[in-house]
Amino acid sequence: MKRNVSLADISDGRLYSENDMVKADCHGCAGCHKCCQGMGTSIILDPYDVYRLTTGLGISMPELLATALELNVVDGVILPNLRMTGEEEQCAFLDEDGRCSIHAYRPGICRLFPLGRYYENGSFTYFLQTGECTEKNPTKVKVSKWIDTPELVKNSEFVSRWHYLMNEVEEHIMSSEDDAFRKNLNMFVLNTFYLAPYDAKRDFYEQFDERYARFREIVPAN
C-alpha cells in the first residue's frame, strides 16, 4: 500500500540498508499486540507471504480466505490482506493470549514493523516509522536480523520486482475504461500469483519466476 506522505513527517529522517543498525527491537513485545489490532485492510500479502503461510501451515489459499484472510481493492488491484476480527478488530491469527500463532510464517509487513520500505530507482531502502510502536525504549538491532528472512538478498530482489510489477498492473487497470479488461487482469494476477498452489518442496523464487514468465506472455513489459 502506497503512502503519499513525507518521510520527514513519519521517520527519523534516515534511510537504512539491511546491514545497518536501527532502533527497532521491542524486546519481544512483552505481551503487547497493539500493532496487530485495528489495522483495517493494510496488512497486504505478497506471493512470498502466501507461499510461506500455505506451505508452513499446510492450508490452501482458498481455506485461508475463508478464515484469516480477505480480498480487497488496493489502488485498483485486488489483493489479499490479513483479516481483522472481533470487537477489538485484531488479527485473526492472534491466539487467546494475544500472541502471534503464525510467528514463524508471519507476513513481510509484520516482520518489517516498525520499519517501512522506501522505493526508488528500481529498488528500495528501509526507514524507521517513528511514533508507530508503543515501546518507549527500543534497542538497536541489525535490519537483516530484525526482518528474519532467509536469503534476504534474493528476497529483496523479489520484493522490488513485485512492487514495480504491481505498479505496472495498477497503471493498466487505472488507465483502462474497459470493465472486462480490468476484471480479467485482476483475476489473472490473483490466480497466477496467489490462488495457484505453491509446491513446498520447490524453491519459491523459481516458482515465482515461472509465474512471472506466464504473466509476461499475457502482459508484455512496457
Side-chain angles (χ1 to χ4, degrees), residues 79-121:
L79 296 170
N81 60 264
L82 294 184
R83 186 192 300 269
M84 300 293 134
T85 63
E87 293 183 2
E88 295 186 337
E89 293 187 0
Q90 66 182 31
C91 175
F93 285 117
L94 284 185
D95 64 22
E96 59 185 14
D97 297 318
R99 306 302 286 173
C100 179
S101 65
I102 57 161
H103 195 262
Y105 317 119
R106 67 197 185 282
I109 290 180
C110 302
R111 290 171 185 272
L112 275 175
F113 187 84
L115 302 181
R117 298 190 187 103
Y118 178 73
Y119 293 89
E120 62 177 350
N121 301 323

Side-chain angles (χ1 to χ4, degrees), residues 31-49:
C32 174
H33 56 266
K34 290 182 180 178
C35 62
C36 305
Q37 293 176 290
M39 301 305 292
T41 62
S42 67
I43 312 301
I44 299 164
L45 308 186
D46 64 31
Y48 185 56
D49 294 329

